[in-house]
Amino acid sequence: MNWEQQFVESFIIKLVNPSVNQDALIDLVIQQIKKDLDGGDETAIAELLKFVPTENLQSFLSEAV
């Protein structure tokens, strides 16, 4: 199983598990993002960000950008 399949399966398990609240889910996703970036892989992050509204992406950027 490749990392993408592991990420999706882990995400789905956490998503459908009622004992995992949204804050915990966000923490898990942040941990996975860090692992991906440490490994030099931005693919899954880029795919995830495609679902974020443009306004949210723009407001996340610092004023200098």
Side-chain angles (χ1 to χ4, degrees):
M1 176 181 313
N2 65 33
W3 69 268
E4 290 173 318
Q5 291 169 322
Q6 290 175 340
F7 176 79
V8 170
E9 285 184 16
S10 173
F11 183 76
I12 290 171
I13 289 168
K14 304 301 186 249
L15 189 61
V16 298
N17 185 345
S19 66
V20 177
N21 65 29
Q22 186 169 2
D23 289 338
L25 180 59
I26 289 170
D27 289 343
L28 290 170
V29 171
I30 290 171
Q31 289 174 19
Q32 185 64 51
I33 289 171
K34 288 178 181 180
K35 287 179 189 176
D36 289 351
L37 290 175
D38 286 344
D41 191 352
E42 301 174 358
T43 308
I45 300 163
E47 290 300 316
L48 181 62
L49 290 174
K50 290 179 181 180
F51 293 97
V52 177
T54 302
E55 298 82 26
N56 295 61
L57 292 172
Q58 290 171 336
S59 67
F60 181 78
L61 298 174
S62 66
E63 295 292 324
V65 175

